[in-house]
Amino acid sequence: MTAARTVRARSAGRPTLEEVAARAGVGRGTVSRVINGSPRVSEETRAAVEAAVAELGYVPNRAARALAANRTDAIALVVPEPEARFFAEPYFSDIVRGVGAALADTEMQLLLTLVGGDRERRRLAQYLASHRVDGVLLVSVHADDPLPELLEQLGIPVVISGRRSEDEPLASVDSDNFEGARAAVAHLVAGGRRTIATITGPLDVYGARRRLDGYRAALADAGLDELAAHADFTEEGGRRAMAELLARAPGLDAVFAASDVMASGARQVLRDHGRRIPEDTALIGFDDSSIARHMDPPLTSVRQPIEEMGRAMAELLLAEISATTPTRPSLVLPTELVVRASS
Amino acid sequence: MTAARTVRARSAGRPTLEEVAARAGVGRGTVSRVINGSPRVSEETRAAVEAAVAELGYVPNRAARALAANRTDAIALVVPEPEARFFAEPYFSDIVRGVGAALADTEMQLLLTLVGGDRERRRLAQYLASHRVDGVLLVSVHADDPLPELLEQLGIPVVISGRRSEDEPLASVDSDNFEGARAAVAHLVAGGRRTIATITGPLDVYGARRRLDGYRAALADAGLDELAAHADFTEEGGRRAMAELLARAPGLDAVFAASDVMASGARQVLRDHGRRIPEDTALIGFDDSSIARHMDPPLTSVRQPIEEMGRAMAELLLAEISATTPTRPSLVLPTELVVRASS
DNA sequence: TACTACTGTGGGAGCGCTCCCAGCCGTGAT
DNA sequence: ATCACGGCTGGGAGCGCTCCCACAGTAGTA
């Protein structure tokens, strides 16, 4: 196969616009117009060009197009690598799936960019700035991250996943954390639970705050008292928080954990204390990850429409890219309570 | 000078090679040589150019480079979308992580390409062929998939994950399925189990066959008899196979499932039959996914070094790309038995 | 009839690089 | 002093497209 590779090295004889034009008996400009779907081409000419394209198996050269048109037809999905939480189920693959679905009928390419430490993060801004992408999808953005604003200043369309505050200035797609938490706790109340605790995520994360707010709202509706322990979305944190809650309120009969992973940690502690789930203590998580489905008993959990969020992010970004003036829309998608045996 | 800098940072005014050359008082060719690390540049000149690059914040234009040099500095990770198995834990995110790590110190970009049905698959060959990528990583390739051979013929370097047969002609990275299975079953034997069943994956998948071979080898070593039921890597398949095994051999005291998901299905059936794990029946899975860690009891499982496989795939591909003649190496990475409470 | 509008069309002028070929200089050998 | 031969260097010639201007042809208007 050495021969083939050699051929590849010198541009493999792939047809160019020029050759298509010659074949169709028209000029370069006309072929370009047909390729790009311009309406200012007569029907016969269009047909002739399309025939030539098909005969020669012509595919436009992206690099040439990018250079001439000053756009790349590519967007970047920027993933913070150290962020273990994002890489865990179900986020990453579902987001990618959704983005891919939205891009499937498009000419857009998806560039995956993993950013590690600060050094790479610095390079990234420069990298993205030099017009290598038409837009950027940012997931798992922290409140104090300068990157989104930097990109905005550079005029690069950005869509982020998850708002960072109530009035997010950037285009964003979020799930309804408040309502998801409220529904979960309301379900516990409806099940006759009266001492309902929560294990929160880190409260500098807006989504974690909203889940706490939802918990509080449901308790207020039922006239019940709040019982919260703070953790950090990890299993170990869930264990510690659960132990703390049991010490503070041995009579609790339900726990709403702001993530499945924390719920898993809580379950271990409940077991160690000889508490049956759901008989003695009901347990609900958040994320509806595979952990929830395979936990024993299967965990009731709040499902976020991650794949749809990915799709929506991509669609918003495409809209922002083609818009003449940025609109920065904020989309909030509904969550869904998936009831299983744990509650 | 903040204003001036802001202006420069704007997309329209990004510095070009030419401007760097003017600034450094040298010619375009010389700047190009410095940028590309050519040794044929004097020290003073190099320093002058590097200073100019730093001052202007110059970043090469990828499109222009790709057009002129006829290479894209990008590789594609092709993911078969319908393949639910691949998208499930732990594969996808770990592979991406590994690939990303290998590419981190490189100028290579990672293009993520999700392919759906046959129609898209057809487009894909054309797409990849038209010189948009320097190489392709193919995951989850079926034995009868024409794509890898197609790409090879087009002279595009390819690395696949998982061999399709004993003598895989393409460059590939695989894990040692045989040895992983053998170690798992040997561990059961060492634990005193005497009637050890297996639930296999689909046997047209080479990896699934190798796991069965490893199971057989361990049994042969111990002088025990084989007891196999075939399934398809799904939970439901695991349930059916387990039920079949219990009917055929009620006295079995251990099960080796060729995937965690199937082990999860098997566990449900074992429970339904009132069998305790591991007291009555030991259970071992394969993949060491999050399912294994969160199963009750936690599942002993064979860990594949997925992230390292991703890294190795990328490294092999980079080597193939820069090699003058393809070497098509086959790499097999070791697996590891992670012993938990289920065995 | 002469003029102004279109609609289609061809092709020049780049986009920002790499490649490569001359040409410059200094050095060592003759 | 002459020649040959390297190491460095400058810059022309593209890479394959898009953009845009000019212009032919046709049709509508006074």
Side-chain angles (χ1 to χ4, degrees), chain A residues 1 94-95 112 131-132 144 151 193 195 225 257 261 286 338:
Chain A
M1 226 27 84
D94 283 354
I95 284 273
L112 201 60
H131 260 296
R132 285 157 163 175
D144 58 348
L151 292 172
R193 310 290 172 167
T195 310
D225 286 336
V261 172
F286 208 109
V338 180

Side-chain angles (χ1 to χ4, degrees), chain B residues 26-30 33 41-42 45 68:
Chain B
V26 301
R28 264 187 4 260
T30 302
R33 263 166 238 132
V41 183
S42 73
T45 309

Side-chain angles (χ1 to χ4, degrees), chain A residues 233-309:
Chain A
F233 281 140
T234 68
E235 193 162 345
E236 172 57 23
R239 276 194 291 268
R240 265 203 297 268
M242 192 67 244
E244 177 196 330
L245 288 169
L246 285 174
R248 276 164 53 191
L252 62 81
D253 57 8
V255 178
F256 166 62
S259 81
D260 287 351
V261 172
M262 293 196 298
S264 173
R267 195 215 58 167
Q268 294 165 28
V269 173
L270 289 171
R271 276 282 170 87
D272 293 348
H273 283 248
R275 304 219 176 197
R276 292 167 304 164
I277 301 173
E279 293 82 358
D280 303 326
T281 313
L283 183 60
I284 297 188
F286 208 109
D287 285 343
D288 191 31
S289 60
S290 75
I291 294 174
R293 288 188 295 280
H294 292 281
M295 199 180 286
D296 183 58
L299 181 70
T300 295
S301 189
V302 179
R303 194 184 92 85
Q304 302 182 76
I306 310 283
E307 185 170 338
E308 290 92 290
M309 287 174 72

